[in-house]
Amino acid sequence: QVQLVQSGAEVKKPGASLRLSCATFGYTFSHYFIHWVRQAPGKGLEWMGIINSNDGTKAFAQKFQGRITLTRDSSTSTVYMDLSGLGSDDTALYFCTREPDYKILTGEFLYPFDYWGQGTPVTVSS
Amino acid sequence: SHELTQPPSVSVSPGQTARITCSGDALSKRFVSWYQQTPGQAPVVVIFEDNKRPPGMSQRFSGSASGTLATLIISTTQVEDEADYYCFSIDVNNEQGAFGGGTRLTVL
């Protein structure tokens, strides 16, 4: 079955960098985009960026431009998110989720964010 | 930047209809999807492409969109519908995604 399995909890110091992974199972990796979404404690969902698992093209939220990198490893069906220059406001639960590539897939019930990873808690503290 | 605006909270009595709005300039050109989130859980899609329900989603959930305003409608609201609801869309001009700020639905 479809699963998105994220890497474990992280504790980082201010200024450090972070690498999170999202390993996917149970579907054709190249047929779906992967989005990254985070949620700070007690706050709302925040969209961070998207990567096309097929060709690697990406887009990021403006606030993360310059300190976020998204990569994918097609051989392991895994997507990585790197975030540099961490601050305390980066403390959050980080999710990956998938969206169909509608240029490849057709069907009545294709929709974004149908499966989510379990979330990776990240704490940034000195 | 791509911004979506939702009311912070909506309250209804059980059995009433709840309406949650989402406004943003980019909505006139791109579909909206809606997500329900309960504490400690990942979001669950309740509406996609403005007004479509995923398989198995209760028919009490529906959506509409016109111009720069999208609305999630929950009919015959039940206590189990209490949750945070988020709209999401992507700005076609720059492929920037955005969630609305979220609406806490209270059923009492």
Side-chain angles (χ1 to χ4, degrees):
Chain A
Q1 72 277 24
V2 175
Q3 291 185 77
L4 281 66
V5 180
Q6 298 184 232
S7 48
E10 300 268 9
V11 179
K12 295 290 185 180
K13 293 196 181 300
S17 296
L18 175 72
R19 166 165 277 208
L20 303 182
S21 65
C22 175
T24 70
F25 304 90
Y27 69 92
T28 303
F29 179 67
S30 61
H31 290 179
Y32 286 78
F33 305 127
I34 294 292
H35 294 252
W36 287 88
V37 176
R38 75 179 187 179
Q39 188 168 34
K43 302 296 184 182
L45 301 173
E46 182 174 31
W47 183 82
M48 300 181 70
I50 177 177
I51 184 168
N52 183 328
S53 305
N54 186 37
D55 62 15
T57 55
K58 308 148 203 176
F60 307 114
Q62 275 186 324
K63 70 175 288 184
F64 299 107
Q65 298 276 0
R67 68 183 191 106
I68 188 173
T69 304
L70 295 182
T71 54
R72 92 263 190 233
D73 183 342
S74 299
S75 68
T76 60
S77 301
T78 300
V79 172
Y80 298 91
M81 184 196 71
D82 294 296
L83 191 64
S84 61
L86 294 173
S88 58
D89 57 352
D90 291 314
T91 293
L93 185 61
Y94 289 72
F95 292 103
C96 61
T97 181
R98 71 172 196 171
E99 178 185 11
D101 185 343
Y102 301 103
K103 296 178 182 175
I104 299 176
L105 294 174
T106 59
E108 184 178 1
F109 292 115
L110 293 174
Y111 50 92
F113 307 170
D114 56 349
Y115 285 89
W116 294 68
Q118 81 277 20
T120 297
V122 174
T123 302
V124 181
S125 174
S126 55
Chain B
S1 64
H2 180 30
E3 294 184 0
L4 300 176
T5 302
Q6 298 180 233
S9 62
V10 168
S11 295
V12 295
S13 299
Q16 288 188 327
T17 298
R19 292 179 174 82
I20 299 172
T21 58
C22 173
S23 63
D25 290 344
L27 294 185
S28 62
K29 300 177 183 176
R30 203 69 176 252
F31 289 127
V32 168
S33 48
W34 290 91
Y35 301 87
Q36 177 193 66
Q37 188 182 35
T38 51
Q41 301 298 314
V44 173
V45 55
V46 295
I47 292 291
F48 67 101
E49 290 183 8
D50 293 344
N51 55 21
K52 296 180 180 179
R53 276 185 302 274
M57 183 54 57
S58 170
Q59 291 186 345
R60 297 186 299 101
F61 288 88
S62 61
S64 68
S66 179
T68 60
L69 184 70
T71 304
L72 173 67
I73 303 156
I74 309 171
S75 60
T76 320
T77 306
Q78 302 175 1
V79 172
E80 68 201 48
D81 298 329
E82 278 203 343
D84 294 324
Y85 291 86
Y86 297 89
C87 59
F88 176 83
S89 186
I90 294 180
D91 187 335
V92 294
N93 295 316
N94 55 22
E95 292 303 312
Q96 297 271 306
F99 285 95
T103 299
R104 173 72 51 90
L105 176 66
T106 302
V107 183
L108 43 67

